Every structure is written in C-alpha cells, then in structure tokens.
Amino acid sequence: MIDEAQMRERLEDERAETQALIGRLTQGIDEVSAARDGDNSDDEHDPEGATLAFERSQAATLLAQSENRLNEIAEAVDRLAAGTFGICIECGRPIAEARLEARPYAAKCVDCAARD
Ligand SMILES: [Zn+2]
C-alpha cells in the first residue's frame, strides 16, 4: 500500500530541493554571464572563455532539467489528489513501490519509462 501522506511529504521535499537548485543555478548563470561581460577577450581563442561558455551551457541544461522535474512533481501531486497516484500513465498498471520510493514523481512504470 502506498502511504499517500508520506508520498505528499516526499514530493514537497523534492519540490523544495528542486526550487533551491533552480535558485542556485540561476544565480550561477548570472555570475558566469557577469564574469564574461567584464572580459573583452576573444572567446574563441581564450581557453577561459570557452570554459565559461561550457559551464554556462551545463548550468542551462541542468536548469531545464530541474524545471522539467518541477512539472513532474506538480503532476504527481495532482495524481495524488485525483487518486491515480502510483498508476502508470502509459499502461495503467501499478508502478513498483521501490520505484516510487526512489522517484515519487515517476509517472510511468519501469517498462514504459524504458521505452521512452
Ligand atoms: Zn507502464
């Protein structure tokens, strides 16, 4: 049996952590941008410029993933409210509890997620 109250708590924790991460990433991207703007060197021929660009693109990727995660968490909270939490949105079978323990925002069972 899935403990809904516990899952709700887990989802709230995940949401708080993800929001904190987004805050740090956003700040980090701003700092990298500021460091770049204050530097007139030619990026293409400056190894440091290339590193900054790489760091910024990595942070941007992580940021996009985190925003996606927030959506997944919001959808999982909706499923809790709707009484469909723990049911695979693809095949309608129950999602293994061990999977929900690890990823309370999981929308699909392992089989369906593997087919994505
Ligand atoms: Zn499935």
Side-chain angles (χ1 to χ4, degrees):
M1 245 330 256
I2 292 163
D3 182 338
E4 287 193 12
Q6 196 191 329
M7 279 298 161
R8 201 177 295 270
E9 218 169 278
R10 287 282 318 277
L11 286 165
E12 287 306 323
D13 287 351
E14 291 275 352
R15 195 205 296 267
E17 273 172 36
T18 307
Q19 272 165 345
L21 179 62
I22 287 174
R24 283 199 302 275
L25 286 169
T26 307
Q27 200 182 11
I29 290 169
D30 288 349
E31 278 168 14
V32 172
S33 300
R36 239 164 108 91
D37 290 345
D39 166 11
N40 293 323
S41 61
D42 181 346
D43 279 359
E44 276 179 61
H45 301 104
D46 174 8
E48 199 166 332
T51 306
L52 286 174
F54 177 69
E55 279 175 12
R56 187 158 58 167
S57 83
Q58 274 206 320
T61 302
L62 248 173
L63 186 59
Q65 284 171 350
S66 300
E67 281 167 352
N68 189 40
R69 173 67 42 81
L70 271 190
N71 285 334
E72 290 179 318
I73 292 168
E75 284 166 14
V77 170
D78 286 349
R79 288 195 298 276
L80 265 178
T84 57
F85 183 84
I87 308 292
C88 175
I89 61 167
E90 193 87 13
C91 67
R93 282 195 287 256
I95 300 171
E97 272 185 57
R99 177 167 169 76
L100 290 171
E101 282 293 322
R103 296 165 59 106
Y105 44 82
K108 295 178 184 175
C109 68
V110 181
D111 290 346
C112 290
R115 275 200 292 273
D116 277 347

